[in-house]
């Protein structure tokens, strides 16, 4: 699911960039004709008002594109930092990625479930950093957050849940019950998962 999500993000970004490039090229070819059309459609508007309106529309579109593109770039930078064993840098980059996904979701009017799914997707990498730092219970919280807010559970996610659960050494539940917890319908907030995991110790 996570790989599909990143592919979807890349496709959306490329589509938006291509559309922007085509619009830019068209504007460069005949800027006078474009201005004349604007004047015909809005004969009473001043040039200043037209410029403000055009800039606002372009900035709104660009903001959505930029947030998504920047979020994807931060994720790639974080993976590189992890390969270089710079976990502190990777953690900071992943937090920036989460923030950018949040801005993208707000800008695009995404639902709470869609926004949470974007945010939860980052938790796979955050869990890995916590695992390396031997913070196994915190890592398990992130894995549950990631899985519980995915549209479907993959074999990779099942395997990771088992491994992270074993490392956390919780005595108040079993991994099968945790998987059932993940599969319950509805958005699962991170703070709620933290409280539930604490109760399983």
């Amino acid at each position: 699911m996570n790989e599909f999500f990143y592919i979807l993000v890349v496709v959306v970004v490329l589509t938006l960039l291509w559309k922007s490039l085509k619009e830019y090229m068209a504007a460069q070819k005949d800027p006078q004709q474009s201005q004349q059309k604007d004047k015909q459609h809005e004969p009473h508007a001043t040039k200043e008002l037209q410029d403000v309106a055009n800039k606002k529309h372009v900035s709104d579109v660009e903001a959505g594109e930029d947030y998504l593109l920047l979020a994807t770039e931060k994720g790639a930078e974080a993976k590189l930092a992890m390969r270089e064993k710079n976990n502190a840098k990777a953690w900071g980059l992943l937090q920036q990625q989460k923030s950018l996904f949040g801005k993208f979701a707000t800008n695009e009017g995404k639902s709470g479930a869609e926004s949470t799914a974007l945010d939860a997707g980052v938790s796979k990498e955050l869990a890995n950093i916590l695992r390396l730092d031997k913070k196994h219970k915190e890592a398990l919280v992130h894995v549950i957050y990631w899985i519980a807010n995915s549209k479907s559970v993959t074999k990779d996610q099942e395997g990771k849940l088992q491994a992270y659960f074993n490392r956390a050494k919780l005595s108040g539940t079993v991994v099968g019950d945790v998987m059932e917890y993940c599969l319950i319908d509805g958005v699962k907030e991170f703070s709620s998962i933290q409280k539930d995991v604490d109760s399983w110790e």
Side-chain angles (χ1 to χ4, degrees), residues 128-146:
N128 195 25
I129 293 172
L130 290 165
R131 175 186 64 82
L132 293 170
D133 290 341
K134 301 194 185 312
K135 296 178 179 176
H136 298 304
K137 190 178 81 170
E138 293 90 337
L140 177 62
V141 171
H142 278 279
V143 167
I144 292 171
Y145 182 54
W146 167 48

Side-chain angles (χ1 to χ4, degrees), residues 18-34:
W18 176 247
K19 183 179 176 186
S20 295
L21 180 62
K22 282 177 30 182
E23 289 172 355
Y24 174 78
M25 298 283 283
Q28 290 296 322
K29 281 184 181 177
D30 200 355
Q32 290 181 345
Q33 184 180 1
S34 176

Side-chain angles (χ1 to χ4, degrees), residues 80-92:
L80 179 61
M82 287 175 69
R83 283 197 293 272
E84 294 171 349
K85 303 195 184 312
N86 190 343
N87 291 345
K89 180 180 179 182
W91 186 271

Side-chain angles (χ1 to χ4, degrees), residues 31-80:
Q32 290 181 345
Q33 184 180 1
S34 176
Q35 287 176 358
Q36 287 172 354
K37 283 182 182 177
D38 287 342
K39 286 177 184 176
Q40 288 172 0
H41 291 301
E42 300 179 69
H44 302 295
T46 64
K47 185 177 185 310
E48 290 80 11
L49 288 174
Q50 289 175 355
D51 289 345
V52 168
N54 288 339
K55 282 179 185 175
K56 183 178 185 325
H57 172 70
V58 170
S59 66
D60 286 348
V61 172
E62 287 176 350
E65 292 174 7
D66 289 347
Y67 291 142
L68 198 56
L69 180 60
L70 287 170
T72 305
E73 288 174 354
K74 293 298 177 190
E77 289 174 33
K79 287 181 180 178
L80 179 61

Side-chain angles (χ1 to χ4, degrees), residues 11-23:
V11 169
V12 169
V13 169
L14 291 175
T15 302
L16 292 171
L17 289 175
W18 176 247
K19 183 179 176 186
S20 295
L21 180 62
K22 282 177 30 182
E23 289 172 355

